[in-house]
Amino acid sequence: MAIRTDSGWDLSVDNRNGQLALVVEIKRKTNVSPEWAAKLRRNIFAHGTFPKAPYFLMVFPDKFYLWSNAEAYQDQSEPTYTIDASPILQPYFERAGVTADHISGASLELIVTLWLGEVIHADQLPESIDASQQWLIESGLYAALVGGKLEHEAAA
């Protein structure tokens, strides 16, 4: 896994052609509304020069928010998808012996890295993906990530 220190993102994924496909911002806060997430996203883009990607995923221990419109970087548009993170993250929490309410930022980032790695290196057909992750197929994110390369932001 290569470490990208210039992106500013917690995680990013390049597609199989080496182009930036997904950027990921990870926060420990729970019970975040889509409106709050949209405002945070707008603030992130207003105060930094970050590489833009077709997909932007904001991860919280209990929810994922996915934007799949690369042109909407400066507005307050709500997420394209609001995803219950529990079915996705709970198996990792159980293996790590932590709960969504008491996970550290570093542990959450590691868990999301593991999950994304499984998506990128999936050898199963998309039809066999669990119903809780159907949004990966519908959004086109699965196709964009499979065979790609995960980049991890170095700790500052």
Side-chain angles (χ1 to χ4, degrees):
M1 176 178 343
I3 296 180
R4 175 182 288 177
T5 57
D6 60 346
S7 75
W9 298 113
D10 293 327
L11 300 169
S12 62
V13 180
D14 293 340
N15 67 19
R16 65 186 73 72
N17 299 320
Q19 298 164 312
L20 185 62
L22 169 71
V23 293
V24 184
E25 189 67 19
I26 302 169
K27 301 290 181 199
R28 287 182 48 228
K29 187 174 175 63
T30 56
N31 298 313
V32 170
S33 70
E35 297 82 11
W36 191 92
K39 285 179 184 171
L40 175 61
R41 175 176 161 270
R42 187 202 67 218
N43 288 340
I44 289 169
F45 289 118
H47 298 292
T49 54
F50 295 101
K52 292 177 175 49
Y55 294 96
F56 178 84
L57 182 65
M58 195 171 288
V59 172
F60 300 94
D62 57 346
K63 287 250 190 299
F64 288 1
Y65 293 111
L66 177 70
W67 284 263
S68 58
N69 179 357
E71 280 68 50
Y73 272 86
Q74 294 300 328
D75 67 12
Q76 282 190 49
S77 66
E78 291 199 15
T80 313
Y81 293 88
T82 297
I83 301 109
D84 177 4
S86 299
I88 298 167
L89 298 180
Q90 192 58 40
Y92 296 99
F93 291 162
E94 288 172 8
R95 278 183 266 167
V98 297
T99 63
D101 295 332
H102 295 99
I103 191 163
S104 71
S107 294
L108 182 58
E109 191 168 313
L110 179 60
I111 286 171
V112 172
T113 300
L114 291 169
W115 169 72
L116 276 172
E118 288 181 11
V119 172
I120 291 167
H121 301 295
D123 55 2
Q124 61 185 354
L125 296 173
E127 295 80 44
S128 65
I129 280 188
D130 181 84
S132 68
Q133 297 190 55
Q134 197 59 40
W135 59 275
L136 280 166
I137 306 300
E138 291 172 11
S139 67
L141 185 57
Y142 179 86
L145 298 184
V146 169
K149 186 172 89 173
L150 184 64
E151 304 282 353
H152 187 274
E153 176 61 31

